[in-house]
Amino acid sequence: MYRACLDTCVLVPSSQRDFLLQLAAEGAFAPIWGTGILFELDYVLERLDRKADAGGEREHLLSEMRRAFPGATIEAPKDGQYSYDVADPNDLHVVHAAILGSADALVSRDRRAGFATSKSLADADIEVLSPEDFAAHAVAAHPRLALRAVDVIATRNRRWPQSPMAVLEQLRDAHGMVEVYEIIAPLARGDIR
C-alpha cells in the first residue's frame, strides 16, 4: 500500500486533516508520522485550543489517530540527532520519519524546509507533495473510496451535518483541492454511477 508521511502543517487545518485521515481510514493510503510530528501537532493545537478556549479536543484527536492507525507512528523525536540535507534543521525529524517509515511520499506545505531539494529524500525515492497534489493523486486512484470518505465526514457531526457537496466545496475553497472537487463532485451529485 502507498505510504505517505504527513507533516504537521498538513495535519493542523482540521478539515484538511479530517479528509486525509478519512481517506486513509477508507484504505486509499497508509499514513505515517513521527513522534516529533505528533509532538509539534500537540503543541500547535494546544496554542489554538487556548485561543479558541476549547478543551480536551487535541487529546482526543491524538488518541484517535493512534487507535485508528496503530502502525503509523515512527520513532523520530523532534530533538533527535539526524544528518539529512534539509535547509531547516527543525525539520530533520520529518525526513527521518519519512525515511524510517519507508514512505512513498512526504506530504508537506513547508517550503522553507527544503524537502523538495533534499538528496536524502530523493535517494530514498520519496516524492515530496503538497497536500492538494497528494489528495488529487489519492482521489484519482481511489475515487469511490474518496466519495465514501466525504460521505463519512458529511455525516460525522450530528449537531451540524453537512452535505457531501459542502465538504467538497470547503476542501476546494479553503485548501485549494480543486482537482479533488472536480473528481468527486460528479460522483457526489450522482452524475456518474
Side-chain angles (χ1 to χ4, degrees), residues 150-166:
V150 168
D151 286 341
V152 168
I153 293 167
T155 59
R156 183 177 292 148
N157 188 336
R158 299 201 192 288
R159 289 191 331 187
W160 297 289
Q162 300 178 3
S163 71
M165 288 305 295

Side-chain angles (χ1 to χ4, degrees), residues 130-149:
S130 68
E132 57 273 13
D133 287 342
F134 171 73
H137 294 316
V139 167
H142 305 284
R144 298 285 175 196
L145 296 179
L147 176 60
R148 194 162 59 215

Side-chain angles (χ1 to χ4, degrees), residues 64-189:
E64 285 297 299
M65 286 172 65
R66 287 185 186 100
R67 184 195 59 74
F69 307 105
T73 303
I74 305 298
E75 188 60 35
K78 186 161 175 60
D79 61 355
Q81 299 298 310
Y82 313 110
S83 57
Y84 300 110
D85 60 330
V86 292
D88 187 346
N90 290 320
D91 288 311
L92 292 168
H93 67 99
V94 178
V95 176
H96 190 68
I99 291 173
L100 204 60
S102 300
D104 296 294
L106 169 57
V107 185
S108 181
R109 189 174 298 292
D110 188 346
R111 297 192 200 301
R112 235 179 3 160
F115 296 139
T117 59
S118 170
K119 185 171 176 354
S120 300
L121 288 170
D123 289 348
D125 202 24
I126 298 173
E127 187 175 18
V128 178
L129 295 169
S130 68
E132 57 273 13
D133 287 342
F134 171 73
H137 294 316
V139 167
H142 305 284
R144 298 285 175 196
L145 296 179
L147 176 60
R148 194 162 59 215
V150 168
D151 286 341
V152 168
I153 293 167
T155 59
R156 183 177 292 148
N157 188 336
R158 299 201 192 288
R159 289 191 331 187
W160 297 289
Q162 300 178 3
S163 71
M165 288 305 295
V167 172
L168 288 169
E169 289 164 2
Q170 182 176 22
L171 291 170
R172 179 194 64 199
D173 299 343
H175 305 295
M177 294 190 181
V178 175
E179 287 181 70
V180 166
Y181 178 88
E182 290 172 351
I183 294 167
I184 305 175
L187 294 169
R189 286 191 302 256

Side-chain angles (χ1 to χ4, degrees), residues 45-55 57:
L45 293 178
E46 181 183 28
R47 275 195 353 235
L48 294 174
D49 280 353
R50 273 188 261 144
K51 288 181 181 176
D53 200 28
E57 290 179 22

